[in-house]
Amino acid sequence: MGAGGFLLIVIAALLLFGPNKLPDLGRAVGRTFREFKEATRDIVEDEPPVNKTEAAPKAVEQPKAQDRRLPE
């Protein structure tokens, strides 16, 4: 979306809501984004910490070169 698209949206908003309602609308949108950002931050912080003392999954051993023959 370029500058022309943004300008078109601003003009449409002015026509729909009028210049007196736009500051209130902007505040409401800003408040909504702030609440959303805080909620996502809370969700990320609520994740349980990873316990590094847990056993790591065992590595799968790769077959040796001599074991990789085709069946006869």
Side-chain angles (χ1 to χ4, degrees), residues 58-68:
K58 294 182 180 179
V60 178
E61 292 183 22
Q62 296 294 328
K64 297 178 183 175
Q66 56 188 331
D67 293 339
R68 286 192 258 169

Side-chain angles (χ1 to χ4, degrees), residues 2 4 12 17 20 22 27-29 31-32 35-36 41 43 45-46 51 55 59 68 70:
F17 301 108
N20 296 334
L22 278 183
R27 280 188 213 100
V29 169
R31 207 174 297 127
T32 302
E35 289 175 6
F36 179 75
R41 188 178 304 130
I43 291 172
E45 289 175 356
D46 286 344
N51 191 357
R68 286 192 258 169
L70 293 174

Side-chain angles (χ1 to χ4, degrees), residues 2-3 6 25 37 39 55 58-59:
F6 183 72
L25 185 65
K37 191 175 182 180
K58 294 182 180 179

